[in-house]
Amino acid sequence: MQTDKRPAAIRTRDLNLWYGTFQALFDVSLEIKQGIITSLIGPSGCGKSTLLRSVNRINERLGYVRIDGSIEVMGKNIYDEDVELVQVRKQIGMVFQRPNPLPISIRDNVLFGYNLHSEKRRTPRSELDGIVEDALQQVLLWDQVKDKLNRKATDLSLEEQQKLCIARLLPVKPGVLLMDEPCSALDPKGTEAVEELIWELREKYTILIVTHNMAQARRASEECIFMLMGKVIEHSPTESMFVTPAQQETADYIEGRYG
Amino acid sequence: MFRETALNVRDKKVQGLFRLLFLTMTLLLILPVLVILGMLIYKGGPVLSIDFLFTAPTDGMTAGGVFPALLGTVWLVGVALLVSVPIGIAAAIYLSEYASDNWFTRIINLAIINLAGVPSIVHALFGVGAFVVFFGFGTSILAASLTLAIMTLPVVIVSTRESLMAVPQAFREACWSMGATRWQTIRRVVLPNSVSGILTGVILEVSRTTGETAPIMFTGAVFFTPFLPQGVFDQTMALSLHLFVVATQVPGVPDELPYGVALVLIGMVLLMNSISIAFRMYLRGRKKW
């Protein structure tokens, strides 16, 4: 896979992060390439979720988080003074571990983000219908739900809920999708379906995905970052990381000696 | 195999004993309620009639109905709600959705708990000092209702905050991660999903306020007045105070009259509670997560 020549979509420089007095990230400097799937792996507590969450600044509402260093997304440091948080969240979508559709209709879920960011006071119904169909098509959910768009989203199966959670990000046309163990609440069949979907979405979006599941990282990502104790140990194309890891710690982890 | 042993027999006896003990305590608990209700209905029931509800007391309060007191209670509770509900809900939203956990919010929480613990007679004296005298409202519905409002504010805040906190955090995270502001999140997701709990709390507060006597007796409710209240600066009779008056302060009241008044009062409270329960069941049936 030719991933080397791609430009970086996310670039962190000397990123340090503290929860109170506990330092969770140490000098993280990374270049995450545009239009591919990069997976973050490592044992529990290694800082992978923290790193993911600082990329759309969702960590911030915890008052005791302190950050040093920078995260550039599409060339702009999202921690700069002149950055509007709402725009950050719009450009950088987030999918959570447990599917969290809002307790409103499927259609309203898909349009929720769109309505937040739409400058028009009213969008014609036909245009909204198109947006809903397009988003649901992209996440391979349209055929299952097209006849029950007004039903509550919380009635869907977990797999469908998670697909919907991805679909609702798409109408605002984000550049980056962050996923925090998006399949860990799903059964094997659901996992497979959502993985397939994520694979379909690459190229159009830069996808950064945290996973506990080594097989998933290997199957469904093009580059892989291995973290340990808040530090990046290795960042390389997935295939080479799993076949010929450069670091001893990576090899140990991949072979299941800890984690 | 599988035969009962002496040990099993003993354990089962002890188990039965404790079960009996807990059951007895539970029955003891509901006994007074049944006795009170039974007494009220037995003694006060015959007094009740449409006339009783809708006529004024006559013959030096020894005969006639309770209409001025009933109407007065509706006024007092209504005005108190108009004040306490908006303030209470707004404060609860601030505390639950905006405030972070720091010394300032901790002091506010402490104040709310303390406010809830202040005896109602102390609220009454505060009401006299603040609303009757200092603000110069005189003994009036306004002064009495404000006193009631302050007394019930902690209840509204606490019940509202609990309903807000019952909305799963995942919904808020979903909204924020899409770029919704706090207010958009509250307006579109948090409030629609907590409104049933908030309203239930409000109705329960109504039923509590209805029965209060001490806070209104110095601030706006009177022994007897031949006039029905026309506005918030009038004095008024109130059911709870009226019960106290006919039961203890007026000579020659027929035995069953106070029971009739008590029945009306309790009837109002029970009605409110039933509405609140029915309402909650209706709204709960509709939501799902």
Side-chain angles (χ1 to χ4, degrees), chain A residues 185-202:
Chain A
L186 308 181
D187 60 17
K189 194 183 126 290
T191 303
E192 196 186 325
V194 171
E195 264 178 31
E196 231 166 74
L197 155 66
I198 296 171
W199 193 249
E200 291 296 318
L201 291 175
R202 75 193 203 289

Side-chain angles (χ1 to χ4, degrees), chain A residues 61 89 96 100 103 117 154-155, chain B residues 170 173 176 178-179 193 288:
Chain A
R61 73 203 150 73
R89 302 266 168 85
F96 294 83
N100 57 355
H117 300 290
T154 35
D155 290 341
Chain B
E173 282 194 334
W176 295 337
M178 280 187 276
N193 284 292
K288 224 186 245 167

Side-chain angles (χ1 to χ4, degrees), chain B:
Chain B
M1 274 291 256
F2 303 139
R3 287 293 170 82
E4 189 176 67
T5 68
L7 184 66
N8 299 145
V9 174
R10 200 200 66 194
D11 284 352
K12 264 195 258 176
K13 256 187 202 156
V14 175
Q15 128 84 7
L17 212 65
F18 272 98
R19 189 195 140 93
L20 191 68
L21 178 74
F22 296 138
L23 176 67
T24 317
M25 293 303 157
T26 310
L27 291 178
L28 273 180
L29 181 82
I30 56 171
L31 194 68
V33 178
L34 291 178
V35 171
I36 291 172
L37 266 184
M39 277 258 289
L40 285 179
I41 291 170
Y42 173 70
K43 290 207 167 184
V47 185
L48 275 197
S49 65
I50 297 291
D51 263 4
F52 186 71
L53 291 179
F54 291 106
T55 57
T58 53
D59 305 329
M61 299 172 90
T62 57
V66 294
F67 185 63
L70 188 63
L71 188 71
T73 293
V74 172
W75 266 94
L76 288 169
V77 173
V79 176
L81 281 184
L82 282 181
V83 178
S84 65
V85 168
I87 297 177
I89 291 181
I93 290 177
Y94 177 77
L95 289 172
S96 145
E97 304 298 319
Y98 289 91
S100 54
D101 185 28
N102 55 31
W103 63 269
F104 178 64
T105 48
R106 260 176 257 150
I107 285 177
I108 291 182
N109 279 324
L110 207 62
I112 292 168
I113 295 166
N114 278 314
L115 197 59
V118 172
S120 57
I121 191 72
V122 177
H123 279 288
L125 290 177
F126 169 75
V128 172
F131 302 125
V132 178
V133 179
F134 184 76
F135 287 110
F137 297 149
T139 48
S140 60
I141 291 177
L142 184 61
S145 291
L146 287 174
T147 312
L148 284 175
I150 286 188
M151 203 184 74
T152 49
L153 210 47
V155 183
V156 184
I157 294 176
V158 169
S159 75
T160 304
R161 199 171 49 174
E162 268 161 22
S163 319
L164 294 174
M165 291 206 213
V167 176
Q169 193 63 14
F171 293 166
R172 296 186 182 88
E173 282 194 334
C175 287
W176 295 337
S177 71
M178 280 187 276
T181 61
R182 295 256 164 181
W183 171 243
Q184 285 167 327
T185 307
I186 294 166
R187 166 75 190 71
R188 297 180 193 209
V189 174
V190 179
L191 280 183
N193 284 292
S194 54
V195 69
S196 63
I198 294 173
L199 287 177
T200 309
V202 168
I203 298 173
L204 284 177
E205 186 221 346
V206 172
S207 73
R208 216 180 82 106
T209 316
T210 307
E212 283 298 339
T213 316
I216 58 173
M217 65 191 296
F218 308 131
T219 50
V222 290
F223 201 86
F224 178 78
T225 167
F227 306 109
L228 293 176
Q230 305 294 319
V232 291
F233 289 105
D234 288 348
Q235 299 181 334
T236 181
M237 294 175 70
L239 267 183
S240 52
L241 185 63
H242 186 58
L243 173 58
F244 169 68
V245 167
V246 293
T248 61
Q249 306 292 302
V250 182
V253 175
D255 214 20
E256 62 279 6
L257 186 66
Y259 287 97
V261 178
L263 203 55
V264 175
L265 186 57
I266 264 198
M268 254 180 104
V269 172
L270 285 184
L271 185 73
M272 284 300 171
N273 286 355
S274 325
I275 292 174
S276 124
I277 290 167
F279 196 67
R280 186 170 48 194
M281 283 186 345
Y282 166 71
L283 285 171
R284 205 176 265 173
R286 289 196 326 168
K287 78 177 173 193
K288 224 186 245 167
W289 60 63

